[in-house]
Amino acid sequence: MGKRLLSLLMASAALSGFAEAKTVIHVMHQGDPGWVATYGDVAKRFEAANPDVDIELIYAPHDAYNEKFSAAVMSRQLPDIMELDAPFLANYVWSGYLQPIKPLIDQDVLDDMTESNIAQGTYPVDKDLYAVGLTDSSVVLYGNRKYLEAIGARIPKGVDDAWTREEFEGYLEKLSKLDGVKWPIDTFRGYGIKTEWITYAYGPVLQSAGCDLIDRSTWKSVGTLDSDACVDAMAMMQTWVKNGWVVPQSSGTNQFFAEGHPAALAMGGHWFYAEAAASMKDDVVVMPLPKFGPKGASPNGTWIWGITTASEHPDIAGKFISFMLKDKQFRDYARDDSAYPGLKSFAADSPLYDAGGPMAVAFEQASKTAVARPPHPAYPIITSAFMGAVDEIFNGGDVKAALTAAAEKIDEDIDENDGYPPFDEQP
């Protein structure tokens, strides 16, 4: 009996010692339930291949992610790995939260990155890579083929023959009078103002119209965001809302492919395609974003993976990220979810985006019209100020006053931080 008890204690001690010897990697992420389950499955496969490592996933809701990250900073509980929205990278690096990632990621993954993927993970000051992802992103103009044919609309074949502003607004007016159409367009106001949607999707409307959120050489917003071109562009969008052409925020985010197809067009993300195609089959038409001024413009940048400066095991963290980006089941899920390729090998396995594929226009935008959000440490203020202004404008506020107030708020933050040196010294 005594020998048996001793054996059990020894076994218990051995197991305890084994558990303590494991390295724990904390991974903070967001995502819908499908992606969350996929991350969990990848973690299990990594742990099976690396029995001395535990992957602890920390979920944060998409629309509260930055607040939860700030709480982790305040409590000095940064994870080893964090998912981050690409336009916030400059702020995180400037603040000292992220470390260069090149020495930690498998070379074949680095060699596989598309140019836009490299761009979204690169800090402008030192030109070093701080984050990597399987994917990138874009927004396109979806159309209901039946409705477009009913009003005789021209359907663009590619980015170079995108609708002009005059064509686009003419079609909105015709669609507003067509039987079966409740709203001519869904601009996904349902995403609200707590996500990046407004800046991500509507910023290119300004850039296409000939202005921007901020001057990218002087890093001043007054005179740019409240310029005549930006005021005209936002007044245009306000008119769409006033005319009742836009799906209201209270009606959710799926009115394009909802029962009865009440919205004729949708200015939607690439991730929208899978659900739309499943509901509407061949009636889904994918078109480039319209040209609202002198040039075409479209967004890019998505959620990517970085390793924090707080990580005590950055080599293992890099090993997990490399494992995840090469994991076949992970890629299969991403492909089936119409994920936008950020690795060349993933693009080759995504016929959706190949020439002739139903989303080829979205991939064409990446090389012809994509404009990154301002890569500046003040970006959190830039985006929150712009989103507040858009919300005020869509609710009937004065366009010029709202944009001027936002521009002044942005400039004040940059001034209060002395231009965010050494960022302001970059050529």
Side-chain angles (χ1 to χ4, degrees):
M1 189 71 175
K3 288 183 178 178
R4 185 182 176 190
L5 176 60
L6 179 61
S7 298
L8 285 172
L9 289 172
M10 291 177 66
S12 175
L15 287 171
S16 175
F18 179 74
E20 289 176 358
K22 282 194 173 186
T23 299
V24 179
I25 299 296
H26 299 90
V27 181
M28 185 172 172
H29 68 95
Q30 52 86 58
D32 64 29
W35 280 104
V36 171
T38 301
Y39 297 149
D41 291 341
V42 173
K44 290 176 184 175
R45 288 191 286 274
F46 182 80
E47 290 171 344
N50 300 272
D52 57 338
V53 178
D54 273 344
I55 300 296
E56 183 172 317
L57 297 171
I58 305 168
Y59 172 73
H62 180 83
D63 59 359
Y65 192 86
N66 291 324
E67 288 86 347
K68 185 154 186 174
F69 177 74
S70 296
V73 171
M74 295 296 289
S75 61
R76 298 185 179 182
Q77 292 183 329
L78 281 178
D80 297 272
I81 299 170
M82 67 171 294
E83 194 178 17
L84 65 141
D85 205 355
F88 287 79
L89 183 135
N91 179 270
Y92 290 157
V93 177
W94 184 85
S95 300
Y97 301 144
L98 295 178
Q99 60 178 291
I101 204 170
K102 272 184 182 176
L104 307 171
I105 301 297
D106 290 355
Q107 188 60 46
D108 58 341
V109 172
L110 298 174
D111 294 341
D112 200 21
M113 295 175 70
T114 62
E115 288 186 13
S116 62
N117 196 2
I118 294 171
Q120 69 177 340
T122 299
Y123 184 53
V125 174
D126 61 14
K127 315 297 184 194
D128 212 338
L129 189 71
Y130 285 82
V132 60
L134 175 68
T135 60
D136 201 334
S137 71
S138 192
V139 168
V140 294
L141 183 66
Y142 295 95
N144 184 314
R145 187 184 302 276
K146 289 181 180 176
Y147 294 147
L148 295 178
E149 289 178 350
I151 63 169
R154 180 178 69 85
I155 298 179
K157 302 297 183 185
V159 171
D160 295 336
D161 65 340
W163 286 346
T164 64
R165 172 176 172 173
E166 290 72 24
E167 283 181 294
F168 179 64
E169 292 199 294
Y171 293 146
L172 289 179
E173 185 169 9
K174 288 183 178 179
L175 288 167
S176 71
K177 301 171 182 173
L178 188 67
D179 288 343
V181 176
K182 186 173 182 179
W183 300 287
I185 188 168
D186 191 348
T187 61
F188 294 85
R189 292 187 65 198
Y191 286 141
I193 60 172
K194 289 188 176 181
T195 71
E196 263 291 285
W197 176 252
I198 285 179
T199 305
Y200 171 71
Y202 303 168
V205 175
L206 304 185
Q207 290 139 11
S208 178
C211 56
D212 207 339
L213 299 165
I214 189 169
D215 186 302
R216 302 193 186 207
S217 58
T218 64
W219 296 114
K220 297 290 184 185
S221 185
V222 171
T224 298
L225 181 55
D226 58 351
S227 64
D228 290 346
C230 275
V231 171
D232 180 60
M234 291 311 305
M236 170 188 71
M237 296 190 77
Q238 186 185 58
T239 298
W240 303 346
V241 174
K242 285 182 176 177
N243 288 348
W245 292 348
V246 177
V247 174
Q249 185 172 349
S250 59
S251 294
T253 58
N254 66 342
Q255 296 305 309
F256 178 69
F257 60 82
E259 185 176 356
H261 305 153
L265 299 169
M267 187 186 291
H270 69 270
W271 56 88
F272 186 68
Y273 178 80
E275 289 182 284
S279 170
M280 299 172 63
K281 311 300 180 190
D282 293 339
D283 280 341
V284 178
V285 177
V286 180
M287 301 174 286
L289 291 178
K291 284 179 64 177
F292 294 104
K295 67 175 185 178
S298 61
N300 72 338
T302 190
W303 288 80
I304 47 184
W305 302 94
I307 298 173
T308 72
T309 50
S311 177
E312 296 179 357
H313 308 285
D315 54 335
I316 299 174
K319 188 176 180 180
F320 175 69
I321 293 176
S322 298
F323 178 92
M324 178 171 61
L325 299 189
K326 291 190 278 190
D327 182 81
K328 183 179 185 308
Q329 289 92 329
F330 177 76
R331 287 182 172 217
D332 286 348
Y333 179 81
R335 182 196 58 211
D336 295 344
D337 197 49
S338 68
Y340 193 96
L343 297 181
K344 298 166 192 169
S345 61
F346 182 52
D349 192 37
S350 301
L352 199 61
Y353 295 92
D354 279 351
M359 289 288 283
V361 163
F363 209 49
E364 185 186 4
Q365 287 187 153
S367 60
K368 292 186 175 179
T369 60
V371 180
R373 282 160 281 179
H376 191 277
Y379 185 77
I381 295 298
I382 295 172
T383 186
S384 67
F386 179 61
M387 287 193 290
V390 171
D391 191 49
E392 183 178 339
I393 290 166
F394 281 4
N395 285 295
D398 182 84
V399 176
K400 175 74 174 180
L403 293 179
T404 296
E408 290 175 348
K409 186 175 183 180
I410 293 167
D411 286 356
E412 286 171 6
D413 175 79
I414 294 175
D415 289 342
E416 288 172 359
N417 286 279
D418 299 323
Y420 289 92
F423 189 91
D424 57 338
E425 297 173 4
Q426 65 174 318

